[in-house]
Amino acid sequence: MATIKRTVEVELSTTGLDAQGRPQRVPLAVAEDGSTVTVAAPPAIEPEREGVHMLINIGPQLPATHGVLRLVLELDGETVVRCIPHIGYLHCGFEKIGEYRQYNQIIPWTDREDYLNSIGNNVAFVLGAERLFGIETTERCTVLRVIAMELSRIISHLVWLGTTCIDIGAYTPFLWLFQERENVYALLERWVGARLTTTATRVGGMAADLPNGWTEQLQTFITLFPKTLDEVDRVLTKNGIWVGRTIGLGAMTAEEALNYGLSGPMLRASGVAYDVRKDFPYLDYETYDFEVPVGTNGDVYDRYLVRFEELRQSVRILEQALRRLPDGPVNIDDHRVILPPKSKATSEMESMIHHFKQVMEGPRPPIGESYVAVESPKGEKGYYMVSDGTSKPVRWRIRPPSFVNLSAIPRMVEGHLLSDVIAINASIDIVMGEIDR
Amino acid sequence: MNPTVDALREKFGAAIQRADVVWGETTVVVERTRVAEIVRWLHDDPGQSYVYLSDVTAVENRDVEQPLEVVWHLRSLAFRRFLRLKALLPKGTPLEVPSVFPIFKSADWMERECFDMFGVKFVGHPDLRRLLMWEGYKEGFPLRKDIPLLGRFSRAEQLRQALAANPEARYSKEELSIADAFEDLPQDMRARLRSGEKTGE
């Protein structure tokens, strides 16, 4: 394990307010010379227990494993010597089921794999299906999808930060962040009618256009949201306990992180600026002005900083998307792929035929295959679809980012203390629904 | 077409069987025994630098006579290229391809999942065992087309097997290599593990 030398200016508990009305900060522990904070070395292991390794089982029912993950740890004292993860407790065979469903019928399954990013998965899936069908969506639809993806990134990062705070021992940010998450869910509920399982997209368009006054509501959210972020930033980023419990943990170098296939904030925290939105753009992301935050040490603290900055960048993207949101149709004008409006289906013969054919048989893509990856909050989320010309895919494969990120956990926790395993595991931002599928 | 294809043809000649572009994505079908060698070159060559392995998976066609395909998705971050490698495993031959685990650590779980779901053996993988299904799973490889959606066994048989499984015996033999912990286990479990059983059946 590499030691990390870095100084973070730590601000600790308050005694009162200063002249400007801000809380005064004093350090929690100061050494004799007044500068450095020294932590006493842990007592030596009892001699008779030295060299005896212990096997400990964490999960699958422990809330701190963020789902049904089971870790078997071999401990030397309190230090992890080896970690063997076990997954599969939530395996439901989504990919198998997908082979028996039409393309639009698969969209509800994408809600349920990474359920914190459900609307983002909906968009990612239809991007893959649309490439397979060879269709281009309308301009308004593209911008709406960008809004959907960034909102779901905000939800996912808020949940990650809130739950990680609880794992590490801070309760207050959790409440603040979940309040904001509630606001995003209120927006989604007005738009698509559901909060968690959105099923918001269709091949060739969206299930619904924005309701009246929705953009103003979103504008209010993106004006107020950065203030909450500033508050959380103030209580967390320089908090002594937070820094002490996250810095130097689970560090991965850039080469290691690439080799272990990490993606998303996990990879960027290690210093590799790989963001699918920038490197392999989709949904016209190359025309948006935003930064890709990159860390240096690849430890839990850097992952926190990267995700935190991504929240601010998502707000920037949302602002730009709102400004450029064009009028016009949301769905493409090809009723072989997308359902005609209900009013037309009940009044026009041709639309009724299209409606019937679509519901009974489903749209058929040509023979081919497509792999479309998007930058989900967890990393590179890919959908690989193979079509043999029928209305159901031959193979539907999900490339789950947290599955690959989690596979590096034995490397990340070895040499760390048992209590740090929880912090490192939390920093991966796993969703077991996506890992087990 | 991805310029890597020409470089691959020049370097490996007949091992590159076919290359085509579908919806802007380049697919290269390669000789299945030389996959690891080709991936190693793609990873190491500074002119290619495919340093990121996105995905390893397999595809079985609905036509059972068609060969099973193992698919690798590779990314070159420096050149912003995306490449799909495919190896065809004809039916009736052993489903074996070389593992790319020595090159990419990320292949660990992806290959295990592929083995778990399709029964493709990745030769050279150090710990190729089931990942998502439990080790005593007896119905075969779930994503193969010969397994029906609801499973091969009847509901009653599936229930019987689930009830007969010992929930305590969930440690793999590798985990129990720690002598101390092994001695702490119940007598019957130790006996079963000594006799070579991997996990609870």
Side-chain angles (χ1 to χ4, degrees):
Chain A
M1 182 183 62
T3 22
I4 287 171
K5 287 186 182 151
R6 188 168 43 158
T7 320
V8 175
E9 193 191 325
V10 174
E11 296 171 352
L12 290 164
S13 59
T14 61
T15 51
L17 301 178
D18 64 9
Q20 282 82 39
R22 288 179 310 215
Q24 269 180 355
R25 292 163 195 285
V26 293
L28 195 66
V30 180
E32 292 299 315
D33 57 15
S35 59
T36 50
V37 180
T38 45
V39 181
I45 304 166
E46 300 160 52
E48 71 271 18
R49 301 294 296 170
E50 207 166 356
V52 176
H53 286 188
M54 187 198 283
L55 194 69
I56 191 167
N57 178 71
I58 298 184
Q61 271 89 17
L62 183 71
T65 56
H66 295 231
V68 282
L69 168 67
R70 176 164 156 250
L71 298 171
V72 178
L73 302 169
E74 183 184 344
L75 299 178
D76 178 8
E78 236 187 301
T79 311
V80 178
V81 179
R82 195 165 52 157
C83 163
I84 302 169
H86 286 255
I87 61 170
Y89 295 92
L90 215 56
H91 177 64
C92 343
F94 283 13
E95 294 174 4
K96 183 83 174 173
I97 295 165
E99 293 169 10
Y100 293 80
R101 297 282 184 276
Q102 295 164 13
Y103 288 85
N104 278 328
Q105 293 173 335
I106 297 175
I107 297 170
W109 294 97
T110 64
D111 296 337
R112 286 152 177 83
E113 30 141 325
D114 179 359
Y115 41 78
L116 297 179
N117 179 35
S118 46
I119 198 164
N121 293 337
N122 299 157
V123 175
F125 174 78
V126 293
L127 287 177
E130 279 160 9
R131 187 178 288 178
L132 205 54
F133 279 81
I135 52 182
E136 292 265 330
T137 49
T138 62
E139 271 177 51
R140 183 175 172 84
C141 181
T142 309
V143 180
L144 285 184
R145 286 177 180 182
V146 169
I147 292 176
M149 294 214 86
E150 295 309 316
L151 282 179
S152 91
R153 191 183 317 281
I154 287 175
I155 293 174
S156 178
H157 281 356
L158 289 181
V159 174
W160 171 78
L161 187 51
T163 50
T164 304
C165 285
I166 289 195
D167 283 348
I168 292 179
Y171 199 83
T172 314
F174 167 78
L175 297 172
W176 297 350
L177 295 166
F178 269 54
Q179 190 64 52
E180 289 296 341
R181 172 179 178 258
E182 201 56 35
N183 293 340
V184 186
Y185 273 141
L187 282 165
L188 286 186
E189 194 178 0
R190 271 203 71 203
W191 181 6
V192 300
R195 291 154 54 87
L196 201 68
T197 50
T198 48
T199 318
T201 55
R202 298 289 180 270
V203 178
M206 301 292 283
D209 201 349
L210 299 178
N212 286 339
W214 194 87
T215 46
E216 289 75 29
Q217 209 177 338
L218 178 61
Q219 190 61 55
T220 317
F221 170 74
I222 57 182
T223 324
L224 296 178
F225 178 55
K227 291 181 181 138
T228 311
L229 284 184
D230 289 342
E231 285 174 358
V232 177
D233 191 14
R234 201 164 149 200
V235 296
L236 226 47
T237 308
K238 291 183 176 178
N239 183 311
I241 301 171
W242 179 258
V243 173
R245 289 234 33 203
T246 54
I247 211 158
L249 291 188
M252 299 278 271
T253 63
E255 294 77 36
E256 260 183 336
L258 270 176
N259 202 260
Y260 274 95
L262 302 189
S263 53
M266 296 283 292
L267 181 61
R268 291 194 283 277
S270 296
V272 183
Y274 168 49
D275 186 318
V276 188
R277 292 175 292 177
K278 288 276 189 197
D279 287 297
F280 299 91
Y282 53 94
L283 290 176
D284 301 337
Y285 262 112
E286 67 274 23
T287 60
Y288 290 84
D289 178 27
F290 66 101
E291 311 283 329
V292 175
V294 170
T296 45
N297 297 315
D299 56 2
V300 178
Y301 188 66
D302 273 16
R303 290 170 198 154
Y304 155 73
L305 292 179
V306 166
R307 291 204 176 94
F308 207 92
E309 186 55 32
E310 280 190 16
L311 282 169
R312 296 186 197 278
Q313 297 300 330
S314 285
V315 173
R316 268 180 79 185
I317 298 173
L318 281 174
E319 275 169 2
Q320 296 170 45
L322 265 187
R323 229 178 293 136
R324 67 166 75 170
L325 182 66
D327 289 330
V330 177
N331 295 341
I332 55 162
D333 187 28
D334 184 350
H335 293 312
R336 285 170 305 170
V337 176
I338 197 146
L339 280 177
K342 195 76 184 173
S343 57
K344 276 190 177 178
T346 51
S347 59
E348 288 176 15
M349 190 63 199
E350 198 186 352
S351 296
M352 201 192 85
I353 293 170
H354 282 312
H355 193 283
F356 179 79
K357 292 279 268 186
Q358 274 218 36
V359 173
M360 298 309 289
E361 292 170 8
R364 288 157 190 265
I367 295 173
E369 55 194 325
S370 73
Y371 176 86
V372 170
V374 300
E375 184 68 27
S376 99
K378 276 108 196 150
E380 179 188 329
K381 170 106 188 185
Y383 286 105
Y384 176 50
M385 274 167 261
V386 183
S387 157
D388 63 349
T390 59
S391 59
K392 293 162 188 171
V394 173
R395 175 92 170 98
W396 168 49
R397 155 81 176 161
I398 309 164
R399 190 263 187 205
S402 40
F403 174 83
V404 188
N405 289 352
L406 182 68
S407 72
I409 197 173
R411 164 67 192 80
M412 277 189 265
V413 300
E414 68 184 32
H416 289 290
L417 297 181
L418 176 60
S419 57
D420 294 337
V421 172
I422 299 299
I424 293 169
N425 178 46
S427 77
I428 303 176
D429 190 11
I430 55 168
V431 166
M432 290 313 284
E434 177 183 64
I435 291 169
D436 293 344
R437 287 158 285 146
Chain B
M1 190 179 277
N2 191 328
T4 305
V5 177
D6 292 331
L8 273 173
R9 281 217 169 97
E10 197 178 313
K11 175 86 184 160
F12 292 98
I16 310 301
Q17 293 169 343
R18 207 179 73 220
D20 40 29
V21 181
V22 179
W23 299 122
E25 299 166 10
T26 308
T27 307
V28 182
V29 180
V30 299
E31 168 83 40
R32 65 163 164 162
T33 50
R34 299 187 67 187
V35 170
E37 194 189 333
I38 290 168
V39 172
R40 165 71 73 188
W41 180 76
L42 287 171
H43 177 269
D44 292 349
D45 190 79
Q48 308 300 335
S49 83
Y50 282 84
V51 292
Y52 193 79
L53 177 70
S54 275
D55 202 7
V56 180
T57 187
V59 179
E60 190 182 24
N61 281 291
R62 289 207 172 99
D63 177 4
V64 287
E65 298 299 314
Q66 293 286 317
L68 195 133
E69 300 168 357
V70 184
V71 185
W72 293 263
H73 289 126
L74 293 161
R75 280 187 197 282
S76 166
L77 300 186
F79 300 103
R80 297 194 174 177
R81 286 180 196 157
F82 174 78
L83 187 69
R84 176 183 300 135
L85 289 186
K86 263 190 189 180
L88 307 182
L89 313 183
K91 290 291 167 69
T93 59
L95 301 179
E96 284 181 2
V97 283
S99 169
V100 297
F101 177 75
I103 308 156
F104 292 106
K105 294 262 174 46
S106 52
D108 183 1
W109 279 17
M110 296 193 237
E111 288 183 351
R112 273 179 67 187
E113 192 197 339
C114 193
F115 164 72
D116 189 2
M117 293 292 147
F118 288 93
V120 177
K121 285 210 171 56
F122 290 87
V123 179
H125 190 287
D127 185 25
L128 197 66
R129 56 191 163 95
R130 286 197 184 268
L131 181 66
L132 296 176
M133 310 307 282
W134 57 102
E135 290 199 28
Y137 183 70
K138 291 197 186 75
E139 295 190 46
F141 302 105
L143 278 180
R144 295 278 283 275
K145 298 288 186 213
D146 57 350
I147 301 246
L149 182 60
L150 294 179
R152 207 194 285 275
F153 296 164
S154 69
R155 194 88 184 94
E157 172 64 15
Q158 286 175 355
L159 184 69
R160 198 190 63 74
Q161 290 208 358
L163 291 176
N166 179 1
E168 290 297 314
R170 294 288 296 183
Y171 294 94
S172 77
K173 215 173 174 195
E174 217 247 319
E175 290 154 287
L176 294 163
S177 58
I178 312 152
D180 229 41
F182 186 77
E183 292 306 321
D184 289 343
L185 289 171
Q187 174 63 40
D188 60 325
M189 198 169 153
R190 263 181 290 161
R192 278 188 291 107
L193 287 161
R194 276 213 189 89
S195 69
E197 183 183 306
K198 288 196 90 175
T199 53
E201 290 198 12

